[in-house]
Amino acid sequence: MRFVCLWALLYVSLVSFPVAASERDAQVLVKRVVGAAGGADKLLKLFRIEERLTVGSAPKEDGKIRVSVLEPPEYWWLGKRQRDAEEPARYLAWAWTLGALTDPDSQIAVLPEMEEAGKPAFGLRVSGTISPPMDLYFDKNESRLVRIDWKSSIHRVSDWKQHDGVRYPAKCVGYKKKNNQPWYFSEIVELRRLTELPEGLKR
């Protein structure tokens, strides 16, 4: 009887250890990327951006600047207009601000390493709070976000800047997975953290 129990305990430990190790590894990586961005207390929660956005196959340096206030993933105001609740950009903003990774309801899994822009990158998959799951890839040396794979697009971010203690990617180029062709270009030309919702906007 004792022999059987010992084998049962060994079996349980062998089965459960990889799961526990995987979860532990994911949280270690989350802490690393959050630290690289400035720390959990510095992450952007409510902020304003001036953004140059081009939809098409090439960026326009003289493109129109649009002003937005964001509180991802629930809110994104363009001027005083609230974007549609199903707008995918809300969740992309939640990803690059790292809010999706730090939400207690998010389930984080480690992805196999890959190469992005000629450099090694590690990946984290976010599920539970995002559907379908979203894959985020980070530069292995700097632990900074370099790529987001979600739905039918790949979003490559770059040009890291700093504001009020937080580091963020100022540029993003979206590619269609089916042909790897760019379909939008976004550049944040100014970002400002907010402590309260501007007058005229409502949650």
Side-chain angles (χ1 to χ4, degrees):
M1 182 68 176
R2 182 180 179 185
F3 180 78
V4 173
C5 290
L6 286 174
W7 271 107
L9 288 172
L10 178 62
Y11 174 80
V12 170
S13 64
L14 289 174
V15 170
S16 61
F17 178 76
V19 175
S22 177
E23 292 175 351
R24 184 168 62 250
D25 292 344
Q27 290 308 312
V28 168
L29 292 175
V30 168
K31 289 181 179 179
R32 186 185 301 175
V33 301
V34 169
D41 61 331
K42 293 295 184 180
L43 297 184
L44 294 166
K45 304 293 179 62
L46 176 64
F47 57 101
R48 176 185 182 276
I49 61 171
E50 294 184 15
E51 172 195 22
R52 181 181 291 112
L53 177 67
T54 303
V55 177
S57 59
K60 295 180 180 178
E61 297 300 326
D62 59 347
K64 184 178 179 181
I65 301 294
R66 71 177 187 179
V67 178
S68 300
V69 172
L70 295 86
E71 193 176 25
E74 287 85 5
Y75 303 103
W76 182 324
W77 294 268
L78 286 172
K80 293 187 177 182
R81 180 177 62 85
Q82 176 66 253
R83 299 191 79 168
D84 185 86
E86 300 303 318
E87 171 55 53
R90 289 185 177 191
Y91 290 92
L92 292 172
W94 200 34
W96 67 256
T97 58
L98 306 184
L101 287 177
T102 56
D103 189 290
D105 293 327
S106 290
Q107 299 170 20
I108 312 298
V110 179
L111 296 170
E113 290 189 4
M114 62 177 295
E115 188 173 281
E116 176 63 24
K119 297 181 180 180
F122 62 87
L124 295 171
R125 173 166 291 171
V126 183
S127 61
T129 54
I130 297 178
S131 182
M134 179 185 287
D135 296 344
L136 285 69
Y137 292 93
F138 301 82
D139 181 280
K140 190 173 180 179
N141 294 322
E142 298 183 339
S143 299
R144 292 184 179 179
L145 183 67
V146 292
R147 168 173 168 169
I148 302 171
D149 288 23
W150 194 43
K151 296 186 176 182
S152 62
S153 296
I154 297 170
H155 312 267
R156 292 186 165 96
V157 301
S158 61
D159 192 22
W160 281 74
K161 295 184 178 180
Q162 186 167 337
H163 166 74
D164 191 31
V166 68
R167 300 177 186 90
Y168 66 94
K171 292 184 179 180
C172 181
V173 182
Y175 295 81
K176 292 295 186 182
K177 287 183 179 179
K178 62 181 179 181
N179 55 18
N180 200 34
Q181 294 298 309
W183 68 278
Y184 79 84
F185 299 80
S186 171
E187 179 183 4
I188 297 174
V189 296
E190 183 176 320
L191 180 147
R192 180 162 56 90
R193 186 192 304 275
L194 300 176
T195 56
E196 60 183 12
L197 200 63
E199 185 177 354
L201 301 185
K202 297 181 180 180
R203 291 184 175 88

